[in-house]
Amino acid sequence: MAAEDPVTLWRPDWTARRAPPVTDQAAARSLREAVDETLAGIVRGSGALAVEISGGLDSSIVAAAVAARGKDQVRLWLNAWGPDATADERPWIDSLAAHLGIAATSVPRAVGRLTEDMLGQLSTGVRPGLAALDVLHDADWARRFAEAGIDGVVTGKGGDSMFVQPADIGVFADLYRDRGRRALLSRALPDLARWNERSVWTLAHQALRRHWTPQAVDSPNPLIGPRRHADIPRHPWLEDIEDLGPAKRRQILGLVQGCGLHGPSLQTRVVSVLHPLLAQPVVEACLALPAGQLTLGRRDRALARQAFGDRLPEAITARRSKGEMTAFYGHLIADGLDVLRPWLLDGRLASMGLVDVDPAGAALTREALAWRGGYVDIMTTAAIEGWVRAWERRLPGV
């Protein structure tokens, strides 16, 4: 049978372009109804549940929706706390648990040293295991779910993109694109300037510069050879969206990246890992709303905070910060450099010219990690390396 061009059945920009304007009250109602519809379906069809609660807004919204519909069906309300203060969300978990009337289980984040066997376990499926770059945590939760007889685990992942975080210059650029000069007189300009800790003149000037673009969210992985980036096709959903504002384009990019959360992991071998904030009803409800409305022109995820405020403790809806795992992952990767350096610098990707060895070698040092980070790029490349090795073993000579 001759190959045929694929037929596009759905694109996120279709929803973004065709949606009529609605009031803030109607917008908040649409978010609430979409989340409730999604969680009602999950509760009905998923058996024994676990709910991942991080202490942040998104997972709290999901937990509250589950608690309203299937509290008795949940066997674990699970949180993992890190070893330093910035990664310890237990005070927020305690507040949420008391408000919802649930018994939360907080456990220490799994620690240990990376090994080649662990890296090899990251990507044994059809696609690279980008959903579980923290293989120690993935293995620990897979074990806990299996022991508790869990059928499905519900997360709050994807909320940052769909509900729109951050509320930055790009949000005002979208607003100006929609309203023209009237945006300069809107309440959003001083509110967003205050939120971003800059003057209204600086924010407006930067947003309206002809050649200004927001910092790229899909910037190239510095470990991959620069010549190879030019050969990589963009995801079809990212094509032909230049007419949309930068914040809306970033939201669509977040959806594309969120597709990677559905990839294989040690957890998916024992439970169904469910991300309701990336389900179709929620995605379409969020895409249909301008970024300025999702932020109410004043702060990140403001509309979601308003829509679900009556279900959550004020400490969470008003919270400005969020848990930070950077130091934790920095130590994990730094302590595993003796494994990661040969894994990447002498691996199959390097032999094929896909990993640019000199920049990669410079990035894989304690000094570079301390100054520049790059943990996601490193672990993503390590996962793809493991994926190539796994399939070369399965398909020798191909």
Side-chain angles (χ1 to χ4, degrees), residues 283-304:
V283 166
E284 293 195 345
C286 294
L287 288 171
L289 302 174
Q293 192 166 45
L294 284 163
T295 62
L296 295 178
R298 61 174 182 261
R299 69 163 301 176
D300 69 285
R301 299 170 291 179
L303 188 68

Side-chain angles (χ1 to χ4, degrees), residues 40-342:
I42 287 174
V43 168
R44 283 196 304 268
S46 298
L49 286 174
V51 178
E52 175 186 312
I53 44 177
S54 68
L57 177 68
D58 304 324
S59 69
S60 298
I61 287 173
V62 170
V66 173
R69 279 156 184 78
K71 188 183 297 185
D72 295 338
Q73 200 170 320
V74 180
R75 294 187 183 177
L76 276 177
W77 305 86
L78 192 58
N79 164 259
W81 51 273
D84 57 87
T86 59
D88 189 348
E89 296 282 275
R90 283 177 292 179
W92 308 100
I93 298 300
D94 292 343
S95 175
L96 178 68
H99 191 85
L100 299 181
I102 62 175
T105 300
S106 291
V107 298
R109 194 89 178 184
V111 296
R113 293 184 65 86
L114 292 173
T115 67
E116 283 201 7
D117 287 342
M118 290 179 184
L119 295 175
Q121 291 178 31
L122 273 173
S123 299
T124 58
V126 175
R127 296 179 178 177
L130 303 183
L133 298 182
D134 185 347
V135 64
L136 295 166
H137 173 71
D138 189 39
D140 180 49
W141 278 33
R143 176 185 60 80
R144 292 180 186 275
F145 295 147
E147 291 176 352
I150 301 298
D151 298 305
V153 55
V154 182
T155 86
K157 292 182 173 67
D160 283 1
S161 297
M162 292 301 98
F163 294 150
V164 176
Q165 183 187 28
D168 61 0
I169 298 172
V171 172
F172 184 74
D174 278 28
L175 190 67
Y176 190 85
R177 183 180 292 256
D178 293 339
R179 299 185 186 179
R181 293 181 180 177
R182 289 181 298 141
L184 296 171
L185 302 176
S186 72
R187 183 69 235 176
L189 178 56
D191 285 348
L192 288 171
R194 187 180 304 111
W195 181 253
N196 288 276
E197 299 180 341
R198 62 190 68 202
S199 72
V200 294
W201 312 112
T202 300
L203 186 140
H205 174 70
Q206 290 181 328
L208 304 183
R209 284 171 56 191
R210 178 174 299 179
H211 301 296
W212 177 84
T213 56
Q215 182 178 359
V217 183
D218 60 340
S219 55
N221 184 332
L223 275 67
I224 303 298
R227 294 181 302 278
R228 298 291 181 177
H229 284 294
D231 301 330
I232 299 174
R234 288 171 64 82
H235 191 287
W237 290 352
L238 301 178
E239 298 291 349
D240 303 319
I241 61 172
E242 289 74 17
D243 61 305
L244 299 176
K248 182 57 69 174
R249 295 199 305 269
R250 183 170 53 203
Q251 186 186 33
I252 293 174
L253 176 60
L255 175 60
V256 171
Q257 294 174 329
C259 292
L261 295 174
H262 300 286
S265 68
L266 298 178
Q267 290 183 58
T268 61
R269 297 180 190 179
V270 297
V271 297
S272 296
V273 181
L274 307 165
H275 309 295
L277 300 186
L278 290 170
Q280 197 84 6
V282 180
V283 166
E284 293 195 345
C286 294
L287 288 171
L289 302 174
Q293 192 166 45
L294 284 163
T295 62
L296 295 178
R298 61 174 182 261
R299 69 163 301 176
D300 69 285
R301 299 170 291 179
L303 188 68
R305 296 174 195 273
Q306 176 177 298
F308 299 98
D310 63 325
R311 295 182 179 178
L312 301 173
E314 185 179 359
I316 288 179
T317 56
R319 186 180 180 186
R320 295 176 63 95
S321 63
K322 63 186 300 182
E324 178 60 67
M325 296 292 293
T326 301
F328 176 84
Y329 288 125
H331 287 296
L332 176 67
I333 292 177
D335 292 342
L337 285 175
D338 59 328
V339 174
L340 284 165
R341 284 184 63 86

